[in-house]
Amino acid sequence: METPTISIITDCLVPMITAAAGWLAGKRKRRNDFLKNMQESIDILSMENKRLIEDLTTVNREVVALRRENGELKYSVDQLCKENVQLKEEVRNLRTRITQAPA
C-alpha cells in the first residue's frame, strides 16, 4: 500500500509543489521586471520633459527678444509718422509760399 501512496506523491504532489514554488519565485522576478520597466519609462519621460522645458525656455527668451524689438520698431514708426506729419506741413507751407510769390 505504501508503494502506490509514494507513487501518487511522486507523480502528483511533487510536480504541483515544484510548480507552485516556481510560480512564486517567478512572480517576484516578474514584479521586479515590471518595476524596472516602469522606472525606465519614467526615466525616458523625465528626459523628454527636461528637453521640452529647455525648448520652452529658449522659445520664451526669443519671444521676449522679439517683443523688445517690436517695441523699438513701434517707437521708430511713431517717430517717423511724427516726422512725416511735420514734413507734410512744411511742404504745404512751401507750396503756399510758391503760389503766393509774384511771378
Side-chain angles (χ1 to χ4, degrees), residues 47-98:
M47 289 173 59
E48 181 67 14
N49 190 36
K50 180 181 177 186
R51 186 188 65 78
L52 289 173
I53 288 173
E54 289 171 355
D55 289 349
L56 182 63
T57 303
T58 301
V59 169
N60 280 341
R61 284 189 194 122
E62 290 176 3
V63 166
V64 168
L66 289 172
R67 284 184 178 169
R68 184 180 313 119
E69 183 179 348
N70 191 26
E72 292 169 358
L73 290 173
K74 282 182 178 180
Y75 178 78
S76 295
V77 166
D78 288 343
Q79 291 300 104
L80 289 173
C81 286
K82 288 177 185 177
E83 185 178 331
N84 193 18
V85 167
Q86 290 173 351
L87 290 172
K88 282 181 181 179
E89 183 65 31
E90 191 175 325
V91 166
R92 191 175 310 126
N93 289 338
L94 289 173
R95 282 187 183 160
T96 304
R97 287 173 63 189
I98 290 173

Side-chain angles (χ1 to χ4, degrees), residues 22-63:
W23 182 80
L24 289 173
K27 181 179 176 184
R28 181 175 177 160
K29 182 180 181 334
R30 285 189 304 272
R31 183 167 185 219
N32 285 343
D33 289 346
F34 173 75
L35 291 175
K36 181 181 176 189
N37 289 340
M38 292 292 287
Q39 186 61 48
E40 288 172 356
S41 296
I42 290 170
D43 291 343
I44 290 169
L45 290 172
S46 295
M47 289 173 59
E48 181 67 14
N49 190 36
K50 180 181 177 186
R51 186 188 65 78
L52 289 173
I53 288 173
E54 289 171 355
D55 289 349
L56 182 63
T57 303
T58 301
V59 169
N60 280 341
R61 284 189 194 122
E62 290 176 3
V63 166

